[in-house]
Amino acid sequence: MITVKCAAAQAKMRAAGRVVEETLQLLERNIRTGVSTKALNDLAEDFIRSKGAIPSFLGYRGFPASLCVSVNEQVVHGIPDRYRLRDGDIVSCDVGAIFQSYHGDAARTFLVGQVAEEAQKLVRVTRECFFKGLKFCRSGYRVSDISLAIQRHAESHGYGVVRALTGHGIGTSLHEDPEVPNFFSPKARMRLQPGMTLAIEPMINMGTWRIRRLDDGWTEVTEDGLPSAHYENTVLITEGEPELLTGAEERP
């Protein structure tokens, strides 16, 4: 079911989005060689709660952590543990926060130390994919217009676009309709209208688009073992230019 948010709901989503954005900024300041992914999780959870919010992911469908931390070939849903970041890693952090029953959701892929140029390019292009899609986040366009823009930009660089996972609507539920694929789908024909809120999240692989799930039941990795990057924001559709609820400072 599609939900169109009233002004009061939009205000709560802005507040949730600010918590998510500030959490990602905090993580970026603390990501360095030697830091464990569990330490990042704990840092994020403490900060989210200090803002009067609740981590969206903790316990969601049984997920055991407050932060998704996915390193190198891990695409999404990595479970924080004792792994310590190494020079040359890329690490995707996906943050969700609930404020007064409304969710914010965003992700970034960060560089750890001296990262190979080809991995830096993957991270950069994945971010660009989001903003290519954002151009179509306007009333009257279809969800598929967003999807096609993301796919075209990623594939123009020879990258694989993950098919098994998509972006989504968001509100009082972390995942609402509609699905927002990062590739063209004839099923994604819904027209956008003011008040809709979407979590748009390109998941782009250096090699194949195919992924597989590890035995932990959560972590998705690339089938060929090559790196993957993730970039996500919660977006409000308005009468004019779309509003980034989780990354106002991120615009190019």
Side-chain angles (χ1 to χ4, degrees), residues 139-153:
S139 181
Y141 283 107
R142 298 183 187 272
V143 171
S144 58
D145 295 320
I146 302 170
S147 305
L148 183 59
I150 292 170
Q151 179 180 15
R152 281 177 170 168
H153 190 64

Side-chain angles (χ1 to χ4, degrees), residues 30-223:
N30 284 272
I31 284 175
R32 59 186 178 274
T33 302
V35 173
S36 73
T37 57
K38 178 64 164 56
L40 295 176
N41 175 83
D42 295 347
L43 182 68
E45 179 171 349
D46 289 348
F47 182 79
I48 290 168
R49 293 190 187 280
S50 76
K51 294 295 184 177
I54 301 169
S56 295
F57 302 157
L58 184 61
Y60 181 75
R61 297 180 181 174
F63 189 74
S66 296
L67 182 69
C68 296
V69 189
S70 307
V71 182
N72 296 329
E73 77 281 1
Q74 295 176 352
V75 181
V76 287
H77 304 158
I79 300 173
D81 58 17
R82 295 180 181 179
Y83 177 83
R84 294 186 180 275
L85 298 177
R86 302 170 184 170
D87 189 65
D89 282 346
I90 62 172
V91 54
S92 298
C93 294
D94 193 351
V95 176
I98 309 167
F99 182 79
Q100 295 184 6
S101 300
Y102 284 86
H103 292 262
D105 188 9
R108 305 284 185 267
T109 300
F110 300 114
L111 309 178
V112 183
Q114 299 298 311
V115 174
E117 175 56 37
E118 60 181 4
Q120 291 185 46
K121 179 184 175 184
L122 174 68
V123 173
R124 183 174 64 251
V125 170
T126 300
R127 180 179 183 275
E128 291 170 358
C129 284
F130 171 86
F131 286 100
K132 294 292 185 181
L134 187 68
K135 293 178 181 178
F136 295 93
C137 290
R138 292 175 177 269
S139 181
Y141 283 107
R142 298 183 187 272
V143 171
S144 58
D145 295 320
I146 302 170
S147 305
L148 183 59
I150 292 170
Q151 179 180 15
R152 281 177 170 168
H153 190 64
E155 292 182 348
S156 74
H157 290 274
Y159 295 145
V161 180
V162 172
R163 302 290 203 276
L165 304 164
T166 70
H168 50 91
I170 183 170
T172 53
S173 295
L174 180 59
H175 294 95
E176 298 182 350
D177 290 334
E179 287 191 348
V180 186
N182 296 306
F183 55 93
F184 177 79
S185 169
K187 297 179 181 179
R189 302 297 289 167
M190 174 166 292
R191 289 197 182 275
L192 304 178
Q193 57 180 303
M196 291 176 65
T197 44
L198 306 174
I200 299 170
E201 50 180 320
M203 292 162 273
I204 308 300
N205 300 343
M206 187 177 290
T208 180
W209 56 267
R210 293 181 174 85
I211 64 175
R212 61 183 179 86
R213 184 172 298 170
L214 297 184
D215 291 341
D216 63 17
W218 282 100
T219 309
E220 304 283 353
V221 301
T222 58
E223 196 172 86

